[in-house]
Amino acid sequence: MYKNILVPLDGSKCAERILPHAVHLAGRFNDGLILVHVIEPHIDYYVSQNSHKFEEIKDLSQQIKQAKAYLIELKDQLEAEGHHVEDQVVHGNVVRTILRMARKLDSDLIAMASHGRTGLSRVFYGSVAAGVLHQVNRPLFIIRAEDDEEQEWMDVNMYKNILVPLDGSKRAERILHHVEELAFRFGARVVLLRIVELIGKSSRSHATLSGFELENVAQRFDGAKSYLAAIRGEFREKGIKAKAVIKKGPVVRWICDVASSEDVDLIAMASHGHTGLERVFYGSIAAGVLHQVDRPLLLIRSRVNT
């Protein structure tokens, strides 16, 4: 399913925290790893006078040399553990280069940490986050990494509980194929989540809703129950353990709360859907989800016009 996993690295320990996940996924899917180090050009490289260019190019050459040595060391370590690994050092804008290399190398999964040095950390914060998710046409596997965390190589029991937020649309359901494959490979239980947003501002409580609004919420809640029951039944018919959870209120808050209460170790969802889920991946809410959860996220971009 994930025949080539592209792993962008920048030399930092934070960025390396994706490696246990990438290695584990590659092992279960018998896939290869492609380690990519993107060297982002300095702004003054483009605006400096000719007298400054030689120094800049010399500095770039040194960066490339160091990056190659760094990747070769990681590659040797991973190959000694039985993994097939390629390494690439490239120069350019971080976001555009990651996407270009994924296309060029026919990678069908990009796995990376949300922190690192300046280049990689920008990928998931501010306006760049929306740009990456808007442009990418392959799955993204993202973890949040902190400077003070210790590196741990995961055991064979990772991804035992997978949370799958859905909104009733075919777009959101595009994640289900990925979830099925992961559940089979890891023997995972699937937690299907449907969130019924309250009419108007998400912060409103039931006490402030009119009778008509309460009836509307109740109808949507009943519809959500039937919807999840059908999907849960399909999973169970395939031998996959599945549970349905329905909540009322803010989408992002409930995704994070259910991830904690159900002790999930992976959240898998599509980047499009109806209004609620679509907002999760664009603008400031995208960074908010990643900031609030300490679980990996598997995100796919759905193009279905439904």
Side-chain angles (χ1 to χ4, degrees), residues 198-216:
L198 302 182
I199 298 173
K201 295 183 178 180
S202 59
S203 59
R204 293 176 66 188
S205 66
H206 274 68
T208 63
L209 296 178
S210 67
F212 172 79
E213 290 172 328
L214 286 171
E215 182 179 356
N216 179 274

Side-chain angles (χ1 to χ4, degrees), residues 17-293:
R17 301 199 197 289
I18 191 61
L19 286 174
H21 297 274
V23 166
H24 204 56
L25 287 167
R28 287 301 178 99
F29 286 94
N30 297 315
D31 299 330
L33 295 169
I34 305 172
L35 308 181
V36 175
H37 193 307
V38 181
I39 298 175
E40 192 169 29
H42 298 302
I43 295 176
D44 58 351
Y45 176 77
Y46 297 105
V47 301
S48 63
Q49 300 297 320
N50 290 337
S51 59
H52 298 151
K53 285 187 176 180
F54 178 76
E55 181 180 353
E56 185 66 36
I57 292 172
K58 182 178 180 181
D59 179 60
L60 174 61
S61 176
Q62 183 64 23
Q63 290 182 61
I64 292 175
K65 183 178 179 180
Q66 292 174 347
K68 285 183 177 179
Y70 165 71
L71 289 188
I72 288 174
E73 182 179 356
L74 283 177
K75 178 181 178 181
D76 290 345
Q77 175 188 343
L78 294 172
E79 286 184 335
E81 297 171 0
H83 303 287
H84 175 71
V85 184
E86 297 180 35
D87 62 280
Q88 297 278 337
V89 176
V90 286
H91 179 249
N93 173 272
V94 174
V95 175
R96 290 197 296 268
T97 303
I98 288 172
L99 298 174
R100 176 173 60 83
M101 294 303 292
R103 292 191 299 270
K104 178 181 177 180
L105 301 172
D106 194 27
S107 171
D108 41 24
L109 178 69
I110 300 174
M112 60 198 306
S114 64
H115 279 64
R117 290 177 181 166
T118 304
L120 283 180
S121 64
R122 286 209 314 274
V123 173
F124 300 98
Y125 296 93
S127 61
V128 181
V132 171
L133 292 171
H134 180 71
Q135 296 176 57
V136 72
N137 61 354
R138 61 205 70 230
L140 289 172
F141 189 99
I142 307 173
I143 67 164
R144 188 184 73 183
E146 303 294 347
D147 289 323
D148 57 354
E149 290 179 345
E150 294 185 4
Q151 178 79 335
E152 294 183 0
W153 291 88
M154 307 301 181
D155 61 30
V156 295
N157 293 318
M158 67 192 306
Y159 315 140
K160 300 302 291 183
N161 294 294
I162 304 174
L163 177 63
V164 187
L166 297 167
D167 65 2
S169 69
K170 294 299 181 183
R171 283 178 170 179
E173 291 174 14
R174 288 289 296 275
I175 192 64
L176 294 178
H177 171 64
H178 295 263
V179 173
E180 284 183 15
E181 287 290 332
L182 289 167
F184 281 129
R185 302 274 180 165
F186 292 98
R189 177 186 70 125
V190 175
V191 179
L192 303 166
L193 173 63
R194 180 77 186 269
I195 301 165
V196 177
E197 288 191 282
L198 302 182
I199 298 173
K201 295 183 178 180
S202 59
S203 59
R204 293 176 66 188
S205 66
H206 274 68
T208 63
L209 296 178
S210 67
F212 172 79
E213 290 172 328
L214 286 171
E215 182 179 356
N216 179 274
V217 170
Q219 290 176 348
R220 289 189 289 129
F221 192 88
D222 290 341
K225 287 174 62 177
S226 299
Y227 170 76
L228 286 191
I231 295 178
R232 180 184 60 191
E234 293 175 5
F235 271 94
R236 289 180 172 177
E237 287 178 2
K238 297 174 181 177
I240 299 173
K241 296 179 181 179
K243 175 181 180 179
V245 177
I246 306 174
K247 297 294 181 181
K248 302 174 185 176
V251 173
V252 175
R253 192 196 80 188
W254 277 119
I255 290 174
C256 298
D257 286 357
V258 174
S260 178
S261 63
E262 293 292 334
D263 194 27
V264 306
D265 28 39
L266 177 64
I267 302 173
M269 58 202 305
S271 64
H272 283 68
H274 290 161
T275 304
L277 281 181
E278 187 172 359
R279 288 205 313 272
V280 174
F281 299 94
Y282 294 94
S284 60
I285 298 181
V289 172
L290 197 56
H291 269 307
Q292 294 178 50
V293 297

